[in-house]
Structures are given as structure tokens and as C-alpha cells.
Amino acid sequence: MKRTSILIAGVSLAVLLAGCSDSSDSGGSSNGTSSKAAPTSAAEQSLDLSKFGTLPPVPAPAAATVDCTYPAGQPAAKDVTPPPTSGVSTEGTVPVDLQTSAGPIGLVLDRAEAPCTVNSFTSLAQQGYLDDTPCHRLTTELGLQVLQCGDPSGEGTGGPGYGFTTEYPETAFAPNDPALANPVVYPRGTVAMANSGTPGSNGSQFFLVYADSVLPPNYTVFGTISEEGLATVEKIAADGDDGSMSAGGGKPNTPVQIETAKVG
């Protein structure tokens, strides 16, 4: 079941989907043409973020290592082996360098936030799963400004053939806490996982937050973007999207291809 879009304080918050089929998400715009995002006024570009919560503190890891599970799911969009599941570190950071057709995007992944997610992402990068793959979705609307990547098919439905559960910030809340439905600010520079809203639907799709964005705390945060990387994403965003996706946004008007993903 997909998470429904949320309308709060006049801002439409589109769901960040991964592995869910939506026929309108893979087609062109309604008139068959592509157009840049319309310019907005200064007033329209202002959002009172104080109306929304902030991400909670990252819980201290209970141990230096954890065990992770990556059960098989729908067929992989590209051949890859699931990551190791035992003795996964909860300490330190991992640099990842994305070389894209639009410029470099440096990431720093934080194991303390999401050890199983970082373990999966680094495994995918080391196996070349992210090499020569598109960033298939851009959203430029106020309150949701992200670039989404990680699906080799480019359709927004592909994944690595396995799934795993959501980590921080969801793990900072008690199970079934009503606060999990309340949007919070995902700050500019955040790297987070896309999911379909069903348990265990994290896979390979991730999104890069290039301006403060507002979402429920159900999307795993697992790192940050370098300033150089943000400049690259902002350049892509400035050219807009084609508006082809019913969940919000569309394909970037400037096509973006991850050429290589290297773990430092």
C-alpha cells in the first residue's frame, strides 16, 4: 500500500516511492511535451518551517555491531548480491563519491544513524550496482525539493531484489507512536531512502535533499551531501522537471546519470 500524499499548511508533500508501480510515473507529461518548472515569486518561495517538527536526536547504538536482514523481494533491476548480514558496524562514517553526468556529488554516510542502510548502500556501490544508472525523479515544489536516484531501470519501480526495514528517524520513536504521522523537516543536505510505505520496502532508491523539505519521519536518514554535491544538485534543479509523475515532480529536464559510485 502506498503512502498517500499529505497536504499541510498549503504545501503538497508528495510521497517518495520505491518499488511501486504507477503507470503515470513512467510516461511523459500530459501534453507530451517537456517544460521547465515555472518561476515562482519570493512569497511563494517562503515556507514557515517552524510549523513543522525537527528530526529527533539519533539514538546511541546499543552495541558496536548489529545483525541485519535483507529478505528477497521482487526481481532485481540489475544483478547484485545481497550484503553481509552479521557483524555490521554501527560506528564511524563512510565517504562515497558519485560521479554524475551533471557533476560530482560527494556523500558521507553515517553508520550510527542507519547501520543496515549504510551496509546495503556501500555493498551496492562496491558491486557497481549504481554505476551507469539514472536519477529518475526530481521534485521542485515548495516543501519537497529532492533528487531521487538508485533505480537502474529508471522507472521508479526497480530495486536490488531484496528489501529491509526503516531505521532512523523512525527508530527514535516508539512503535505506533502517533508522532510518526507528523511531518518533520528533512534539512538541506540530507541523504535518505525512498520506500513504498510498506514494511521492509527500502531497497536501492534514495533521495538527495537540496532544500529543507517536509516529510513524515518514515524515510531513513543515512548521511549528508557535500557542498560541492549540493551545488551539482541545485544546478540540476534549476532546470526543472517535466511534471510527468502523478506522485509529484518528474524526470529532470537535465538528464542525470550516475556514472560511477566509489566508496572511499
Side-chain angles (χ1 to χ4, degrees):
M1 174 177 168
K2 295 181 180 178
R3 284 198 180 98
T4 55
S5 297
I6 301 169
L7 188 65
I8 290 183
V11 180
S12 176
L13 307 181
V15 63
L16 280 298
L17 300 175
C20 282
S21 176
D22 184 334
S23 59
S24 61
D25 281 1
S26 58
S29 57
S30 59
N31 61 6
T33 62
S34 174
S35 62
K36 294 184 180 181
T40 56
S41 68
E44 290 173 325
Q45 293 172 353
S46 176
L47 175 64
D48 184 2
L49 297 176
S50 67
K51 295 179 179 179
F52 306 98
T54 58
L55 288 173
V58 179
T65 63
V66 295
D67 292 338
C68 304
T69 59
Y70 303 101
Q74 59 186 349
K78 183 177 180 179
D79 287 343
V80 71
T81 301
T85 58
S86 61
V88 175
S89 177
T90 63
E91 300 175 342
T93 59
V94 181
V96 176
D97 177 35
L98 303 181
Q99 290 294 327
T100 82
S101 56
I105 303 175
L107 310 178
V108 177
L109 312 186
D110 189 341
R111 294 190 182 104
E113 289 180 330
C116 295
T117 302
V118 173
N119 184 50
S120 173
F121 193 93
T122 55
S123 173
L124 293 173
Q126 289 167 337
Q127 294 184 68
Y129 178 89
L130 298 173
D131 294 353
D132 194 29
T133 62
C135 291
H136 61 276
R137 181 184 179 195
L138 174 70
T139 63
T140 58
E141 63 186 283
L142 194 62
L144 188 68
Q145 298 182 347
V146 306
L147 178 67
Q148 189 166 333
C149 316
D151 174 10
S153 76
E155 298 299 323
T157 59
Y162 62 83
F164 55 97
T165 58
T166 303
E167 296 182 284
Y168 172 81
E170 190 168 291
T171 51
F173 296 84
N176 302 316
D177 187 333
L180 286 167
N182 297 332
V184 298
V185 176
Y186 279 58
R188 174 183 182 269
T190 297
V191 186
M193 292 297 295
N195 65 65
S196 68
T198 59
S201 60
N202 292 284
S204 59
Q205 293 188 45
F206 62 98
F207 59 95
L208 307 172
V209 181
Y210 64 89
D212 290 351
S213 296
V214 186
L215 288 163
N218 312 115
Y219 299 94
T220 298
V221 171
F222 67 106
T224 56
I225 311 166
S226 69
E227 284 299 324
E228 180 184 43
L230 281 166
T232 296
V233 180
E234 287 165 351
K235 180 176 66 175
I236 297 163
D239 203 27
D241 65 80
D242 67 5
S244 61
M245 298 184 182
S246 62
K251 295 183 183 298
N253 286 329
T254 297
V256 186
Q257 196 82 354
I258 297 176
E259 297 168 344
T260 60
K262 300 295 184 183
V263 178

